[in-house]
Structures are given as structure tokens and as C-alpha cells.
Amino acid sequence: MFRRIIFHRLERFTLGTIAPTFRNLGQNLFKTGSQICGPDSHSDQLVRSMRCVPINNTVYPKLLTADWVAPNATIIGDVEVDSGSSIWHTAVLRGDTAKIRVGKNSLIQDRAILKSSNITDSEISIGDNVFVGPNTQLDACTLDDFSFVGMGATIGRGVVVEPYAVVAAGSVVPEGTVVPSGQVWAGHPAQYLRDLTQEEKHQIAENLIELQQLSQLYCEETEKSFREQQDHIEDDLLRATSFSEEVRGLAHKEAGLPIDKDDAQYISDPRVPNISIEPDQGDRTWSPYEQDLSRFPEIFKMYGENFDRYEQVKKRFETEQPGEQMGEHPINPQKPTDQSPWEKRYDDYMPRHKGQLLQ
């Protein structure tokens, strides 16, 4: 107990007195050396983080309730992110061009760009439980609750994506378009493709929950201080070396690593000859038919190719008409109308969407 008290006081004295003294001394020495160098000197510049850039004292990003904002994300100006939402790596939210409102439990994925082409009275409204995929571009638009925007999609100005509507990856939605609820739109320009199934609606909700949990893990890791990171590394090393010899031997055996010292020495010592190398192996040329199992007919018949079956399948494909097995509509096959097995499977543990939000 007495030793811990002494160590604690010594650490506080080091961090509070000795460390700042040496730091100021080093800074003064650097300034003096730079002045002595004259025109050959250089100055270090610190680039501040772009994760929260205010415009003035009243217009600034409001991110305190967000689940996680990536350290390399760029958020400028009038941006509000509600609880449970996350902004991922290298995403850009330009609140200096439009008001940006992100609801609860929504995800703005990597390299997404949210900005307005017209600064006058522009707003980007993103509801609750919305997924905005990687590398997407959003102009002044409205994404309602539970909407889904695939990666690489472009949403034009004035577009409204209704609840449970899906914009497919790489699609371009023209200005003023309304994507109805429960439909999948795709293409350039985007057009109606098909209706969304009940199974896909539940999969969208499950995907949001998984990514939200992953963002919480990222938040826990990225917000660690340098001291916490070093302690975590030391704990991992201590945990890896605290196993007994038997446990380490089993782990090495499963990983294909040397089990004991003799094996490790044999592998690492280049002086140990490889007895499996034949004397004339260096002079031989490689033959692609050396191991075709032609000298072992019994093994070849047992494990080799089934040429009779191959000829049957080949003959069938040669005589079969294109689209014969696809029914009456080979290009647009009929979808099953009975979704009850999927509905029962998912409705047992997730309620059907009836207008309320799933928090």
C-alpha cells in the first residue's frame, strides 16, 4: 500500500512538473535552432481535425448525441446528428451549403458526400433508421424512415425516398423524383424495378442493427488515449505469454508452427540439409504430365473424372433449347406470390412494420 502511494505521487509529479519542464525546454531549443538557421529553417504546422468545424459561434455541428463519428470524417457547419447514428470514415457533410439533419439510428457510410448544389434554402433531411451506402452523393433531398440508398448511388435535388424504398447501387435518381414506399429503383436514370419483399424489409433492419453495433465498437477503440492503447497492447502480450507449455503446444500444433525447440531450430537453421531433395533434382525439367496418375489405373478409376457423366451433360446442353427450364418467361421469371413462410419466420421475433419506428 505504501509503495503504491509513493508510485502514484511520483507519477503525478512527473506528469505535472518534470514533463512540462522538459517540453518547454525542447520547444525553446527548437525555436532557437530555427532562428540560427535563418532562411534554411522550417516551421511545423499542425492540421486540425475536420471532424467538427464551426462556421461561427451559433452555427456549428451538433454531434454530442451521435454514436460515433470517424476521426477522418469531415463535418462542417449546420449539421445535427441524433442519437444512435454514426458517420463513417472519410464521409463529408457540408453543412455550409445546406442544413443537414440526421435522425436516430441512421448510418452514413464511408466516402459519402452530403452537400447542396444551391446554397439558397437547401436542406438534406435524413430520417430514422436510414442506410446511406458508401461512396454515395446526396443533394438537397429527403430520405424518410427505413429508406435504403445503395453504394455509389446519386440522389438529385428535391428527391424524396419514402419509407422502405430502396435505391440500388450505382443508380442515379433525377431531380424531383419520388421513390414510392416498398419499391426498388435502379438504373441511370433510376426507374422502377420491382417490389420489395417482406424478407428484404427485415434484412434491412437487421443490417442496420449489426452496423450500429460495429460503430459502437469503433467508437470504443478510436476514443482511447495513447496510454490506454499501450495498456491494451501490454495486456494482450501478457495474456498470450501466460499460458502453460501444454496450451501453447496445442495452439502451435493447430497453427502448424514448431512445437518444441528442436523443431524450431531445424526450421530456422539453414545448415541442416533437406534429405527429401534428390541429387539430380536441380537438373531435371518439370513435366506437366508427371503426376497425371496414368501409371495407377485403379486409383484413377476410383478418384478420377467421370467421363461418361461429362458426355451426358455435354450432350444435354447441346440439345437443350435456351430458356427451356426457366418457364414461360425466361427473361422475367414469375416471383412466388406466397410469402407466408418468410413472414412467419421473421414476424416471430420482429414485428411487422405498421408505421412505428423500430428503435
Side-chain angles (χ1 to χ4, degrees):
M1 184 66 182
F2 182 70
R3 293 174 60 184
R4 293 180 61 183
I5 294 175
I6 295 178
F7 178 78
H8 180 66
R9 292 185 177 180
L10 181 61
E11 184 180 21
R12 290 181 58 185
F13 176 73
T14 303
L15 295 177
T17 305
I18 299 179
T21 302
F22 277 98
R23 184 177 181 180
N24 293 331
L25 178 61
Q27 291 176 350
N28 293 331
L29 289 175
F30 177 78
K31 292 178 181 179
T32 304
S34 299
Q35 293 175 359
I36 294 175
C37 291
D40 296 332
S41 63
H42 71 280
S43 59
D44 296 334
Q45 296 182 355
L46 180 64
V47 180
R48 66 175 183 174
S49 174
M50 302 293 288
R51 185 159 54 165
C52 183
V53 180
I55 296 179
N56 50 48
N57 294 332
T58 59
V59 181
Y60 56 89
K62 300 177 178 61
L63 310 173
L64 294 179
T65 58
D67 245 9
W68 176 61
V69 177
N72 55 352
T74 302
I75 303 178
I76 305 173
D78 192 3
V79 179
E80 291 186 9
V81 181
D82 213 333
S83 60
S85 299
S86 55
I87 312 298
W88 288 59
H89 306 282
T90 63
V92 179
L93 280 71
R94 292 284 304 277
D96 55 339
T97 61
K99 297 180 181 179
I100 300 178
R101 301 293 181 262
V102 181
K104 298 180 180 178
N105 304 326
S106 296
L107 286 93
I108 311 299
Q109 285 282 293
D110 311 69
R111 300 186 304 278
I113 300 177
L114 280 69
K115 68 175 183 179
S116 175
S117 57
N118 187 0
I119 303 179
T120 306
D121 296 333
S122 299
E123 181 176 357
I124 300 176
S125 178
I126 299 177
D128 300 338
N129 301 283
V130 176
F131 178 85
V132 178
N135 202 27
T136 56
Q137 296 186 13
L138 304 183
D139 206 331
C141 59
T142 300
L143 306 182
D144 290 337
D145 303 337
F146 288 99
S147 57
F148 185 96
V149 180
M151 63 179 181
T154 302
I155 308 298
R157 185 177 182 84
V159 173
V160 177
V161 182
E162 296 184 350
Y164 281 110
V166 174
V167 178
S171 303
V172 178
V173 183
E175 296 184 2
T177 306
V178 177
V179 181
S181 176
Q183 294 184 2
V184 180
W185 282 46
H188 185 350
Q191 297 177 358
Y192 168 76
L193 181 63
R194 61 178 177 85
D195 290 337
L196 203 64
T197 63
Q198 184 71 15
E199 173 199 359
E200 291 171 335
K201 293 179 181 180
H202 288 294
Q203 287 178 350
I204 291 175
E206 291 174 359
N207 185 38
L208 282 172
I209 295 174
E210 292 177 0
L211 290 176
Q212 186 179 6
Q213 294 174 352
L214 184 60
S215 67
Q216 293 172 358
L217 293 177
Y218 280 149
C219 179
E220 183 179 352
E221 291 297 325
T222 55
E223 298 301 326
K224 285 183 178 179
S225 62
F226 178 77
R227 187 69 172 271
E228 292 174 345
Q229 294 178 9
Q230 291 298 114
D231 293 342
H232 183 70
I233 294 174
E234 293 175 359
D235 292 342
D236 289 342
L237 292 176
L238 181 61
R239 192 181 302 109
T241 56
S242 61
F243 293 127
S244 61
E245 295 291 338
E246 300 166 351
V247 176
R248 284 205 302 272
L250 291 175
H252 286 192
K253 185 177 180 180
E254 293 178 357
L257 299 175
I259 300 176
D260 51 19
K261 184 178 180 181
D262 296 336
D263 293 343
Q265 183 179 3
Y266 179 83
I267 293 176
S268 61
D269 192 354
R271 296 173 297 177
V272 179
N274 189 353
I275 59 176
S276 63
I277 300 178
E278 299 179 4
D280 60 340
Q281 187 169 356
D283 301 332
R284 295 170 56 188
T285 57
W286 177 76
S287 174
Y289 306 101
E290 184 177 359
Q291 297 183 359
D292 61 352
L293 300 178
S294 60
R295 293 175 293 176
F296 307 97
E298 295 81 6
I299 299 178
F300 181 76
K301 291 179 181 179
M302 184 179 300
Y303 299 103
E305 299 180 6
N306 191 342
F307 291 102
D308 295 336
R309 180 61 178 168
Y310 171 76
E311 293 295 337
Q312 294 177 4
V313 176
K314 181 179 178 182
K315 184 178 179 180
R316 175 183 173 184
F317 278 101
E318 289 177 352
T319 57
E320 188 177 37
Q321 297 297 328
E324 181 178 346
Q325 294 186 353
M326 299 187 65
E328 300 178 357
H329 302 280
I331 306 301
N332 298 318
Q334 295 181 357
K335 296 182 298 182
T337 57
D338 184 13
Q339 296 288 335
S340 57
W342 287 110
E343 294 177 358
K344 184 179 184 306
R345 174 185 174 187
Y346 286 97
D347 288 340
D348 288 343
Y349 60 91
M350 182 176 291
R352 185 188 293 267
H353 177 67
K354 297 181 180 179
Q356 72 274 15
L357 298 181
L358 299 179
Q359 301 296 332

